[in-house]
Amino acid sequence: MSPEELVLAHADLRDRLFAAKLLVPCGVDGLYGRSATFEKVLNGVDAAAYALGIVDDPITISFPPMIPRSTFEAVDYLRNFPQLCGPVFTFTGDNKDHSELVHRLDEHEDYSDCLSLSEVALTPACCYPLYPSLVGQLGDGDGWYSTMGYCFRHEPSVDPMRLQAFQQREHIRVGTPDDVLSWRETWVDRIPKLLESIGLEFRTEFANDPFFGRAGRLMSRSQIEQELKIEWLVPVFGEDHPTACVSANYHQNHFGELFGISTADGAEAHSGCVGFGLERCTVALFAAHGTDVSMWPDSVTSVLWP
Amino acid sequence: MSPEELVLAHADLRDRLFAAKLLVPCGVDGLYGRSATFEKVLNGVDAAAYALGIVDDPITISFPPMIPRSTFEAVDYLRNFPQLCGPVFTFTGDNKDHSELVHRLDEHEDYSDCLSLSEVALTPACCYPLYPSLVGQLGDGDGWYSTMGYCFRHEPSVDPMRLQAFQQREHIRVGTPDDVLSWRETWVDRIPKLLESIGLEFRTEFANDPFFGRAGRLMSRSQIEQELKIEWLVPVFGEDHPTACVSANYHQNHFGELFGISTADGAEAHSGCVGFGLERCTVALFAAHGTDVSMWPDSVTSVLWP
């Protein structure tokens, strides 16, 4: 498929989702309203992804779609992925500053410099706010967590698999390197079973995050060589252009060091996470089984709504 | 209660919610993680608030916590409530710009001007993205909607009833002025019954939104005089300092005109919405019945988890 054909395939699937009123256009690529049916499927995927981890008895915790800017800066998101970032600005001026802002709005002029950085930024991955909350020593038997929430990445695209605003289910393990790597292996077993049960084809790859620029290329190569990120890719637009729908990541001691987390016996904590891209799985299901959920195979719906 | 005593009362309730691990501090006032129990109560309030409107058979639609900047500007949010706003910035530069950004980060210097306005802003009220999606003429029998989602308002506070990131359930009616006002009357009946059933005291008031500055005072006065906004206030911190937990609003033709919405018989649409502050109701429940949900009266839990 040529790049031009791929864009047409993206637009075609998006338009089918619009026509079926599963997604609602808002005027910005990758920012869509969702019908009750779309959310029902998405919540079914989420429930199945959550249920897969119940055996670990995780602590369930939810965070808003924004994180403190201090966390955002601490994890080096601006340095590594500036092109995807979403820091939130606000207005802290007085009446005079407000008059200037209103003047700019009236004249349709850029008003960026009437605003200033707030203390919050949009969450790029829903596990980020967890790590700073774990500062200190984990209790005995602690170290399994599960969370779900909205994330933002600035990557406008006509591809309905690549949204700017999307939801993730993340399972997180914090512990010794062995704890984390053996836990990740359990997910390497579990994830294919889930994808097969809902009728999605996939392949598995060692992958990298989209680090920015020249220095980023080195970090990407190192991430792949160290096998830190495993992705399950679903070929919605053909075998040559599959989309990562689930990933399992080993962070080594990155967050443990950054946020001062230690294991129950006092060692610096390592961590890993498994993330399900809920809209990606949901859109893949509509692509695989059609936009009319009433026609989906019982084998699939019985997994989503057991 | 003096202003100083009020702040202490706010901090005391917040700290009790932290101590019970219902809310998790993140380092920014008004931005908290939530335990499974907190979310269970919140979802119970939401389900009860949703159920109250089922008789209207609304179309249920969900939106991400971000809206297009075009919508944000069209509704005049920056003009009217700049102090609460959350436009999202991002980085669109090249390698050279990135080097400058990294330099600023290394030197702990302000990097605001390395970023630029993105096409999205945080949603201040979860009904905003609905109106532009209704452009054109409503179908016969259309005009009832329900939505739920995360909102952002930049008002850092130690008061756990006043969050920066919070969830709303909103019911929306679009139609003729009579349609909207008579629908709002049904909610004026329904809302007290719900609040009473979950054991929350309240009083009702005509109210105003927090319009900014000198010009804003006129708009606030006019809003009250025209009885456009009714609030149900819960006195968590005493009768003199109640907090609005639910509101019922009449927008007149504001959104109909702005987004070109007409009724099924071609008239310019009027609209109204009823909004439940889900964290406010949830925190009020913990304040009223204690932080141990297992001790709550059956009469309350049977409404939340029927």
Side-chain angles (χ1 to χ4, degrees):
Chain A
M1 208 183 285
S2 72
E4 295 74 20
E5 286 169 332
L6 184 60
V7 170
L8 288 176
H10 289 160
D12 178 65
L13 178 57
R14 181 200 60 182
D15 292 346
R16 282 196 288 139
L17 295 167
F18 286 167
K21 300 195 177 183
L22 291 162
L23 292 180
V24 178
C26 277
V28 170
D29 284 336
L31 202 67
Y32 306 126
R34 297 102 194 286
S35 73
T37 301
F38 189 95
E39 285 288 296
K40 186 183 172 192
V41 173
L42 185 143
N43 288 323
V45 174
D46 180 50
Y50 179 70
L52 270 189
I54 283 181
V55 62
D56 296 334
D57 193 20
I59 293 174
T60 302
I61 183 167
S62 308
F63 294 95
M66 305 108 200
I67 55 175
R69 183 156 56 86
S70 57
T71 304
F72 187 69
E73 292 176 359
V75 300
D76 270 346
Y77 202 85
L78 273 169
R79 211 177 281 261
N80 292 331
F81 314 106
Q83 77 282 16
L84 302 178
C85 79
V88 175
F89 277 56
T90 195
F91 173 84
T92 56
D94 57 16
N95 273 307
K96 189 159 158 283
D97 302 317
H98 182 239
S99 297
E100 178 62 27
L101 173 62
V102 168
H103 173 75
R104 303 279 186 94
L105 290 167
D106 286 340
E107 302 294 323
H108 303 285
E109 289 173 9
D110 184 4
Y111 52 80
S112 304
D113 65 355
C114 299
L115 306 174
S116 54
L117 269 170
S118 77
E119 290 308 303
V120 308
L122 291 178
T123 309
C126 72
C127 66
Y128 275 133
L130 175 70
Y131 307 109
S133 80
L134 300 179
V135 57
Q137 193 161 351
L138 295 184
D140 257 337
D142 281 353
W144 289 264
Y145 308 91
S146 188
T147 189
M148 186 266 207
Y150 256 105
C151 303
F152 174 83
R153 291 183 197 166
H154 180 257
E155 44 180 351
S157 167
V158 295
D159 180 359
M161 302 281 281
R162 191 166 295 279
L163 302 181
Q164 295 200 62
F166 59 94
Q167 296 166 82
Q168 283 184 333
R169 163 64 59 181
E170 290 226 42
H171 300 283
I172 300 105
R173 178 76 172 102
V174 181
T176 66
D178 273 0
D179 289 340
V180 175
L181 285 168
S182 60
W183 172 85
R184 189 170 72 157
E185 278 309 301
T186 66
W187 283 97
V188 170
D189 284 341
R190 291 169 191 169
I191 292 162
K193 287 177 191 151
L194 174 59
L195 294 176
E196 279 161 19
S197 74
I198 56 177
L200 295 182
E201 290 176 41
F202 61 90
R203 69 167 195 255
T204 309
E205 257 178 26
F206 291 112
N208 63 274
D209 290 307
F211 291 97
F212 183 85
R214 283 185 294 258
R217 281 200 289 276
L218 283 174
M219 297 178 77
S220 296
R221 201 175 310 146
S222 159
Q223 194 180 17
I224 290 178
E225 282 168 3
Q226 294 184 78
E227 305 186 352
L228 298 179
K229 184 180 205 71
I230 307 168
E231 285 183 345
W232 284 261
L233 300 119
V234 177
V236 168
F237 304 110
E239 292 294 339
D240 293 343
H241 308 284
T243 311
C245 287
V246 189
S247 73
N249 306 277
Y250 176 39
H251 316 132
Q252 300 170 313
N253 66 339
H254 181 63
F255 295 117
E257 184 179 32
L258 206 51
F259 296 113
I261 311 166
S262 55
T263 63
D265 48 16
E268 186 170 72
H270 283 230
S271 63
C273 70
V274 169
F276 291 81
L278 296 176
E279 281 82 356
R280 289 189 177 182
C281 292
T282 302
V283 170
L285 284 167
F286 284 113
H289 306 306
T291 54
D292 182 354
V293 174
S294 71
M295 305 292 285
W296 286 12
D298 287 346
S299 59
V300 172
T301 55
S302 66
V303 174
L304 299 176
W305 307 296
Chain B
M1 206 183 285
S2 72
E4 294 75 20
E5 286 168 332
L6 184 59
V7 171
L8 289 175
H10 288 161
D12 178 64
L13 178 57
R14 181 200 62 182
D15 291 346
R16 281 195 289 139
L17 295 167
F18 287 166
K21 301 196 176 183
L22 291 162
L23 292 180
V24 178
C26 277
V28 169
D29 284 336
L31 202 68
Y32 307 126
R34 297 103 194 286
S35 73
T37 301
F38 188 95
E39 285 288 296
K40 186 183 171 191
V41 173
L42 185 143
N43 288 324
V45 173
D46 180 50
Y50 179 70
L52 270 190
I54 283 182
V55 62
D56 296 333
D57 193 21
I59 293 174
T60 302
I61 183 167
S62 309
F63 294 94
M66 305 108 200
I67 55 175
R69 183 155 57 85
S70 57
T71 304
F72 187 68
E73 292 176 359
V75 300
D76 269 346
Y77 203 85
L78 273 170
R79 212 177 281 262
N80 292 332
F81 314 106
Q83 76 283 14
L84 302 178
C85 79
V88 175
F89 278 55
T90 194
F91 173 84
T92 55
D94 57 16
N95 273 309
K96 188 159 159 282
D97 302 318
H98 182 238
S99 297
E100 178 62 27
L101 173 63
V102 168
H103 173 76
R104 303 279 187 96
L105 290 166
D106 286 341
E107 302 294 322
H108 303 285
E109 289 174 9
D110 184 3
Y111 52 81
S112 303
D113 65 355
C114 300
L115 306 174
S116 55
L117 268 170
S118 78
E119 290 308 303
V120 308
L122 292 179
T123 309
C126 72
C127 65
Y128 274 132
L130 175 70
Y131 307 109
S133 80
L134 300 179
V135 58
Q137 194 161 350
L138 295 184
D140 256 337
D142 281 354
W144 289 264
Y145 308 91
S146 188
T147 189
M148 186 265 207
Y150 255 105
C151 302
F152 174 83
R153 292 183 196 167
H154 180 257
E155 44 180 351
S157 167
V158 296
D159 180 358
M161 302 281 282
R162 191 165 295 278
L163 301 181
Q164 295 200 63
F166 59 95
Q167 296 166 82
Q168 282 184 333
R169 162 65 59 184
E170 289 226 42
H171 300 283
I172 300 105
R173 178 76 172 101
V174 181
T176 66
D178 273 1
D179 289 340
V180 175
L181 285 168
S182 61
W183 172 86
R184 188 169 73 158
E185 278 309 301
T186 65
W187 284 98
V188 170
D189 284 341
R190 291 169 191 169
I191 291 163
K193 286 176 191 152
L194 174 59
L195 295 176
E196 278 161 19
S197 74
I198 55 178
L200 294 182
E201 291 176 41
F202 61 90
R203 68 166 196 255
T204 309
E205 258 178 26
F206 291 112
N208 62 276
D209 289 306
F211 292 97
F212 184 85
R214 283 183 295 258
R217 280 199 290 276
L218 283 174
M219 298 178 76
S220 295
R221 201 176 310 146
S222 160
Q223 194 180 17
I224 290 178
E225 282 167 4
Q226 293 183 80
E227 305 186 351
L228 298 179
K229 185 182 204 70
I230 307 169
E231 285 183 345
W232 284 260
L233 301 119
V234 178
V236 168
F237 304 109
E239 291 294 338
D240 293 343
H241 307 283
T243 310
C245 287
V246 189
S247 74
N249 306 278
Y250 176 40
H251 316 131
Q252 300 170 311
N253 66 340
H254 182 62
F255 295 117
E257 184 179 31
L258 206 50
F259 297 112
I261 311 165
S262 56
T263 63
D265 48 16
E268 187 171 73
H270 283 229
S271 63
C273 70
V274 169
F276 291 81
L278 297 176
E279 280 83 355
R280 288 189 177 182
C281 292
T282 302
V283 170
L285 284 167
F286 284 113
H289 305 306
T291 54
D292 181 354
V293 174
S294 70
M295 304 293 284
W296 286 12
D298 287 346
S299 59
V300 172
T301 55
S302 67
V303 174
L304 299 176
W305 308 294

